[in-house]
Amino acid sequence: MNWLDEGALYSQISVFLREDLGRGDITSQAIVARNTRARGRFVAGEKMVVAGLEAAEEVFISLDSQAQLEAFVADGEEIEAGKVIARMVGFADVLLAGEQVALNLLQQLSAVATLTNRFVRAVEGTGAAIVDSRNTTPGMRMLERYAVLLGGGRCSRFGLDDGVLVTSNHLAIAGGVADAVKNAKERVGHLHKIKVQVSSEIDLREAISNGADMLLLEGLPVEEVVRLTAVTRNLSSVVSIECSGNITLQNVRAYAEAGANTISIGALMKSARAMTVTFQIQPF
Amino acid sequence: MNWLDEGALYSQISVFLREDLGRGDITSQAIVARNTRARGRFVAGEKMVVAGLEAAEEVFISLDSQAQLEAFVADGEEIEAGKVIARMVGFADVLLAGEQVALNLLQQLSAVATLTNRFVRAVEGTGAAIVDSRNTTPGMRMLERYAVLLGGGRCSRFGLDDGVLVTSNHLAIAGGVADAVKNAKERVGHLHKIKVQVSSEIDLREAISNGADMLLLEGLPVEEVVRLTAVTRNLSSVVSIECSGNITLQNVRAYAEAGANTISIGALMKSARAMTVTFQIQPF
Amino acid sequence: MNWLDEGALYSQISVFLREDLGRGDITSQAIVARNTRARGRFVAGEKMVVAGLEAAEEVFISLDSQAQLEAFVADGEEIEAGKVIARMVGFADVLLAGEQVALNLLQQLSAVATLTNRFVRAVEGTGAAIVDSRNTTPGMRMLERYAVLLGGGRCSRFGLDDGVLVTSNHLAIAGGVADAVKNAKERVGHLHKIKVQVSSEIDLREAISNGADMLLLEGLPVEEVVRLTAVTRNLSSVVSIECSGNITLQNVRAYAEAGANTISIGALMKSARAMTVTFQIQPF
Amino acid sequence: MNWLDEGALYSQISVFLREDLGRGDITSQAIVARNTRARGRFVAGEKMVVAGLEAAEEVFISLDSQAQLEAFVADGEEIEAGKVIARMVGFADVLLAGEQVALNLLQQLSAVATLTNRFVRAVEGTGAAIVDSRNTTPGMRMLERYAVLLGGGRCSRFGLDDGVLVTSNHLAIAGGVADAVKNAKERVGHLHKIKVQVSSEIDLREAISNGADMLLLEGLPVEEVVRLTAVTRNLSSVVSIECSGNITLQNVRAYAEAGANTISIGALMKSARAMTVTFQIQPF
Amino acid sequence: MNWLDEGALYSQISVFLREDLGRGDITSQAIVARNTRARGRFVAGEKMVVAGLEAAEEVFISLDSQAQLEAFVADGEEIEAGKVIARMVGFADVLLAGEQVALNLLQQLSAVATLTNRFVRAVEGTGAAIVDSRNTTPGMRMLERYAVLLGGGRCSRFGLDDGVLVTSNHLAIAGGVADAVKNAKERVGHLHKIKVQVSSEIDLREAISNGADMLLLEGLPVEEVVRLTAVTRNLSSVVSIECSGNITLQNVRAYAEAGANTISIGALMKSARAMTVTFQIQPF
Amino acid sequence: MNWLDEGALYSQISVFLREDLGRGDITSQAIVARNTRARGRFVAGEKMVVAGLEAAEEVFISLDSQAQLEAFVADGEEIEAGKVIARMVGFADVLLAGEQVALNLLQQLSAVATLTNRFVRAVEGTGAAIVDSRNTTPGMRMLERYAVLLGGGRCSRFGLDDGVLVTSNHLAIAGGVADAVKNAKERVGHLHKIKVQVSSEIDLREAISNGADMLLLEGLPVEEVVRLTAVTRNLSSVVSIECSGNITLQNVRAYAEAGANTISIGALMKSARAMTVTFQIQPF
């Protein structure tokens, strides 16, 4: 499932390139002779799980279909500082034009993959899965989710249209867990699993008795998760439990051991600090 | 110059909404009665310079032109944790559908504005300006630059097409500072200022004598900046100096005092950790 | 859940209008005085469940935001031949320009709603739901699904991205029910229900024991459905059964009584013969 | 003239694929190994005139430019039930992703070609041409017209912009045949033929004397067509006569023999019931 | 028929504005206070037939729906130098941003209308119509044709798809007038008039005897036009004659008097020198 | 810097082709056998500097990637009447479909290049550069600027977003040269050169003392330019002077000799009369 839709990638990259290139790279047009060939190297500035190589390659290929990237590592691989990630060969003006967009992608997607990987390792052996959320950078969801997969995480629903999650905000409007779950079950339950946020044992019992498939425990302390998991398991062997909210590398294992099947971590995208990657160009 | 192009904003927001909504919010369709009216409050979870209110408002208005946002603070204002930023009034399904995109924008743009603001304060009184770079999140440059302005920063060129910057990568190809600056000056110098990265005194002298308008000192220690600034001032009173590379809140003032006119900070976008903002919905 | 996404509807209608109008209605431009006001009436030529009124209205409003449609029946209502469905008031050239697209939509969507409704009535009281399939007219899925809902049917997944269905073609490639269900369960089972086509009791037992949520019995005779339903119920009370393939108004009730929870009918769209609806225009 | 604009076909197919694929085929992603090669066969389930092969091929090629379709019959050929229409070779996930859209196109376009062909045969030898109308499925006009041509029919105007037809609705507004024809003749008559709907001998005489090139007899009984054709031929040898309205396979020959030059049949598209075509996939 | 499709106009104007504005007017952003209101006047610098006012208005309205244009003349009116054409009221930054695009449109479309009008007057009373050609500025055909209509001209086919013209280049390929006309007549003659370029009496007789509706005499001297018109009139009273090629204000009347029904003039667009129009802005 | 962005060119050409082709070339479809190969020659009808060959080639390649253009001259070369510019080889229907768009581009771009070249020659040896303006045909700026470069001219800013020019209209709003220049300098002066229109010596002194980089002298007589240049040179050796307004081939050298560094000529585009170029097609 570690895939990137090529058509969608291609069209995103064109948007990113248009943003940066506008009407063209006036510096290179002024000082670089046309048809000068060059090579460039992407070098890791720190330890990281690499993500975004396919995207970086697409940046240059979008500018010139003859550009060639030779990768020395694969997306998803963990590397040390100093490692040469890939080598580009192509026209100098193409390398200069694509440099910043390619770097921005590599730096930010590797950050997501690396951070995800740290969470995944923190829960190793517990059986819990680390999953992303819709807390993504606007416009970057496809790529950021891809980076989560590369880091060893799993994906939650892509958008509001391919999964049901009844949050506390829905409950404030829809009037109680029982009705909300019942309606969701009846109207889209033949198609979708019903996930519902519960914040008390009463809610939890109502959710399960009305047919919820998954429970979301949001922002609860570990002990409460332990307790509610026990209640749940008494009632059903198939209902799944997800935790989220204020989960850190420090406390994530405790949640996993408390019985969470999935742990959703918004920080995967929004707290991932860009990795250091550089791009050095040389003539032939 | 603190502006957002409304047409461009509108079309970005539609892309962001389409990403999150896809074919529609199936949860609300299943459990929320149509035409239920509701209100929601955005609340700051920590101290921050707010940015993205106009964008958040556009999210809801794009979904329903009758949705109304009442802001209690202005974009660019600094607020404390707990402050209610704004109140939304509209249909419940509209509030639920726009919630995540609006939060993602507010959280991330406020992060950029807040971090920028910390750098701006760090150099207060030195005369140096904090400027952004092209180290932005792909697809978010317009919004992230806007957040930089709100934080008190200044903008550098938007893309490769509206400014000339000769980097070390260009020099590797174009063969030396003298030729590069001469060519740039001759070919686009009647239109654009010529900025060139220099890493030695020789380069610097070549750049100035060939007519460079601005010098970029990238990744140099403060003492070297002090020295090169002195050399520059001996040669010209109008050539401008920019520093960048590994500049932090700790060392930024030293660079400002070393004589930099502008200090370009890639971390403004890529190391800005999303601020905590919540959105709570209630029925009327 | 009987809704039409207004933005999506609007953009579909523009495509349909551009197809028919091209560079403009040269007949009206030549013979109709500009700003002549007129009125038009949509009249049912036969008994039908009406669908498409909202779409027809959007056709005229897309041409002139002042055009007004007064509906005498609601989408989803069953009416007799001769009934005036709605009245349009607007500029004559607008009524003439939108006539054919509006009629095409009303005639074809009403056909889908009417046929769906006949199937729904045929299974009344059995508890089985009539659902659509992806056997839709290319480009018309949103509208045709809407017509299915108006006729009393339910919708299956919109596309390949919002639901899992393992068909016999998948099984030919993926190598057996057990592996396919196991992999689907493991990789997307925390998000989606797993539906799998089974054609024998062995398949069925493998599917259930590996965690399938729904079984598709495709093209099987009623007696076999009776038998397999019994086997299923012995194994699980929650696994759902869907029938499809060669199901007609004559035999649909038998399938429902055989124990199918949902009956998927490709013919809802592809065998629906357009209803007769006419549009008569008059000056004021 | 039996052509399909490749650019237009390509862009329609992408719309159709996006509709069905959305963010991707989650079933295949979960259970089909990447790079598994497979082959598939399209088989006719009943006798039909094939149409849509070029479109079906484009579906798979849009997903993977290496996919290969080997056709065993040509678009426009009549085949018997059981005939293998074409064989696809490509990646399994590509075949599974394109299957439904390709089938929908083949089934529906073959239906149009087959029905058209039955009408064409019914009037064989009379000299009358079977022509389509603007009574098409919204968004499918180019493809449905192509199927009409494959079935042996001829096309009428594509849209409102490339031909003049004064209908009874126009006449209700424009005030009488004489004025309408005169104005049309004067304003666009140097470019276009003027076709006008006439429902009486008086109208017919007015139309001809004002320069109409073609007459449309809509919904008239055969005897009236015989009579009005005779009147027309007395007045002009070049004015052309078209019949339409309630024309069936049973009565079409009578209209042709009554003297109609062209017979326009809305049912070509709207009453064409999708043909049975299946697609069976196998691994290598 | 003097109309502009509003949707098409709107989308053209956005393209034009995006071309000129790019990411925004950096001059006004730097020096004009937001929300400053201003007024501007369009003044004719020479005698002209005005065209483009509707387009100019759309420019400003696209930038700000509250902008208001008060026109003192109508599109198509002839005015003297010094005449104030229209007054704009709106925000200063909007007036400054739209100025150049609006001027470019007014100056160039008025040029087309004015030149057309001079040709129309030159043939007054002869019964010949001045018509445009496909010799238009790429991307501007709709607007330039509109200007031709405003100048009193008539339009020929919009593009290759809404009319048949067999040129000498077609004949070089299609092998002789007889075959070309016969094929065209048979394949699209029930829909379209057949126009064919003839360069000799033999061609002309072949064209007419095979059913051509219109003859194009391209680049022939007036005397030859006189002669061929006489031949034509002997053969048919309805076949129409068009002249084109090297027709000037000096010789156009001679061609009209020679019997041409329509005179097609490529220079209407390509030799029209932009009119002088100025735009002066003032604060309130 | 004589370049054309291929992606941008490609997308412009598709717009131009769609405008002319609409739903397809009905004449060729009716009378030209598919797959007939042909060749065509572009021939210059008068002396000219050729521009647009790359664009013309793209027209045919957009229609059929196998079409081949063999150029006998290069873009930017000056040729005599009668010269064969290029030869096309391809399918006859492709040559016929692309003919008009290719000719329109060649005729109009060569006109711009030729006229520019005449101005460039007129100032030869004076050191002044001929530059274009934003007085371009809407939608054609990229191509027209390219033609200016081919004629030996230089380009000014592309749009309002990549350069600062304070015009008299700005000054009317912004309140005087001093403030306008000061604000521009402060807000975007670290990025852009500040060009300001001055119409008096007082303005000129204010502009220079506030840091303007370039002065625009618009519509002033030569003697005044001489005088103001002298004043400028007394104050600064680096401030650049641009003249524009009513500059003709007759007076341009006088302005150059008066001291203008750049001379901006709106007429380059708007008064360029299309060159005569023909396209003759033959079968093989």
Side-chain angles (χ1 to χ4, degrees), chain A residues 200-222:
Chain A
S200 69
E201 189 181 325
I202 296 176
D203 280 1
L204 182 150
R205 290 179 179 276
E206 260 188 42
I208 294 178
S209 68
N210 284 284
D213 301 292
M214 309 172 71
L215 306 176
L216 173 63
L217 307 181
E218 165 91 22
L220 301 186
V222 170

Side-chain angles (χ1 to χ4, degrees), chain F residues 8-258:
Chain F
L9 176 60
Y10 170 81
S11 91
Q12 283 229 304
I13 297 294
S14 346
V15 172
F16 298 163
L17 278 170
R18 208 174 349 154
E19 179 185 67
D20 194 40
L21 277 166
R23 298 163 183 136
D25 177 358
I26 57 176
T27 305
S28 296
Q29 285 159 18
I31 70 175
V32 173
R34 246 197 156 176
N35 299 328
T36 309
R37 290 188 67 77
R39 59 206 157 129
R41 300 190 318 162
F42 288 101
V43 183
E46 56 189 304
K47 187 175 182 173
M48 66 179 68
V49 175
V50 176
L53 263 176
E54 201 180 330
E57 183 179 22
E58 185 65 36
V59 167
F60 294 104
I61 286 177
S62 291
L63 291 168
D64 174 13
S65 60
Q66 304 303 311
Q68 286 182 316
L69 179 141
E70 184 184 359
F72 301 121
V73 302
D75 264 353
E77 208 172 306
E78 189 175 37
I79 58 172
E80 300 299 318
K83 173 78 184 173
V84 176
I85 299 173
R87 202 173 66 130
M88 284 299 313
V89 173
F91 290 115
D93 58 347
V94 166
L95 268 53
L96 288 160
E99 172 182 1
Q100 189 69 55
V101 174
L103 279 176
N104 287 344
L105 287 167
L106 268 176
Q107 291 169 349
Q108 299 184 21
L109 297 178
S110 297
V112 172
T114 303
L115 184 58
T116 301
N117 195 246
R118 294 183 65 192
F119 275 100
V120 168
R121 291 192 179 170
V123 300
E124 220 158 50
T126 63
I130 298 299
V131 304
D132 62 12
S133 72
R134 286 168 44 244
N135 235 315
T136 55
T137 310
M140 291 281 285
R141 190 166 292 171
M142 181 184 76
L143 287 164
E144 290 183 343
R145 280 163 58 95
Y146 176 61
V148 164
L149 290 171
L150 290 174
R154 302 264 291 274
C155 291
S156 63
R157 61 178 174 171
F158 194 107
L160 290 169
D161 61 336
D162 68 339
V164 172
L165 169 57
V166 180
T167 65
S168 57
N169 271 341
H170 285 95
L171 294 173
I173 299 296
V177 168
D179 275 2
V181 173
K182 210 180 306 170
N183 283 334
K185 198 75 190 171
E186 182 184 320
R187 292 182 188 147
V188 291
H190 65 298
L191 286 176
H192 295 284
K193 292 196 169 174
I194 308 301
K195 191 196 291 190
V196 60
Q197 178 177 348
V198 295
S199 42
S200 69
E201 189 180 326
I202 296 176
D203 280 2
L204 182 150
R205 290 180 179 277
E206 260 187 44
I208 293 178
S209 68
N210 283 285
D213 301 292
M214 309 172 72
L215 306 176
L216 172 63
L217 307 181
E218 165 91 24
L220 301 186
V222 170
E223 316 77 60
E224 185 68 357
V225 172
V226 171
R227 194 178 72 80
L228 293 178
T229 303
V231 176
T232 303
R233 288 296 157 254
N234 274 341
L235 295 166
S236 155
S237 64
V238 297
V239 165
S240 171
I241 290 176
E242 179 162 313
C243 290
S244 76
N246 305 321
I247 292 172
T248 63
L249 280 167
Q250 284 65 51
N251 66 19
V252 67
R253 189 167 187 93
Y255 280 97
E257 290 172 344

Side-chain angles (χ1 to χ4, degrees), chain B residues 5-284:
Chain B
D5 179 310
E6 282 172 41
L9 176 60
Y10 171 82
S11 91
Q12 283 229 303
I13 298 292
S14 346
V15 171
F16 298 162
L17 279 171
R18 208 176 348 155
E19 180 185 67
D20 195 40
L21 276 167
R23 299 165 183 133
D25 178 357
I26 57 175
T27 306
S28 295
Q29 284 158 19
I31 69 176
V32 173
R34 246 195 156 178
N35 298 329
T36 309
R37 292 187 65 79
R39 60 205 157 130
R41 300 190 317 161
F42 288 102
V43 182
E46 55 190 306
K47 186 175 183 173
M48 66 180 69
V49 175
V50 176
L53 263 177
E54 201 179 330
E57 182 179 23
E58 185 66 36
V59 167
F60 294 104
I61 287 177
S62 291
L63 292 167
D64 174 13
S65 60
Q66 304 302 312
Q68 287 181 316
L69 180 140
E70 183 185 0
F72 300 121
V73 301
D75 264 353
E77 206 172 307
E78 190 175 37
I79 57 172
E80 300 299 319
K83 172 78 183 172
V84 177
I85 300 173
R87 201 173 67 130
M88 284 298 314
V89 174
F91 290 116
D93 57 348
V94 166
L95 267 53
L96 288 160
E99 170 182 3
Q100 189 68 58
V101 175
L103 279 176
N104 287 344
L105 288 167
L106 267 176
Q107 291 170 350
Q108 299 185 21
L109 298 178
S110 296
V112 173
T114 303
L115 184 58
T116 301
N117 195 245
R118 294 183 66 192
F119 276 99
V120 168
R121 290 192 179 171
V123 300
E124 221 157 49
T126 64
I130 299 298
V131 305
D132 62 12
S133 70
R134 285 167 44 244
N135 236 315
T136 54
T137 309
M140 290 282 284
R141 190 165 292 170
M142 181 184 77
L143 286 165
E144 290 183 343
R145 281 163 57 95
Y146 176 61
V148 165
L149 290 171
L150 291 174
R154 302 265 291 274
C155 291
S156 63
R157 61 180 173 169
F158 195 106
L160 291 168
D161 62 335
D162 68 338
V164 172
L165 169 57
V166 181
T167 65
S168 57
N169 272 340
H170 285 95
L171 293 174
I173 298 297
V177 168
D179 275 4
V181 174
K182 211 180 306 170
N183 283 334
K185 198 76 191 171
E186 183 184 319
R187 292 183 188 146
V188 291
H190 67 297
L191 285 176
H192 295 284
K193 292 197 168 173
I194 309 301
K195 191 197 290 190
V196 59
Q197 178 176 347
V198 296
S199 41
S200 69
E201 188 180 326
I202 297 177
D203 280 2
L204 181 150
R205 289 180 180 276
E206 261 188 43
I208 295 178
S209 68
N210 283 285
D213 301 293
M214 309 172 73
L215 305 176
L216 172 63
L217 307 181
E218 166 90 24
L220 301 186
V222 169
E223 316 77 60
E224 186 66 359
V225 172
V226 170
R227 194 178 71 82
L228 294 179
T229 304
V231 176
T232 303
R233 288 295 158 254
N234 275 340
L235 296 166
S236 156
S237 63
V238 297
V239 165
S240 171
I241 290 176
E242 179 161 315
C243 290
S244 76
N246 305 321
I247 292 171
T248 62
L249 280 167
Q250 284 65 50
N251 65 20
V252 66
R253 188 167 188 93
Y255 281 96
E257 290 172 344
N261 301 94
T262 51
I263 301 176
S264 164
I265 297 177
L268 291 189
M269 284 88 166
K270 73 178 178 187
S271 289
R273 179 190 50 77
M275 297 281 117
T276 304
V277 181
T278 57
F279 186 57
Q280 299 148 359
I281 300 179
Q282 283 187 311
F284 272 106

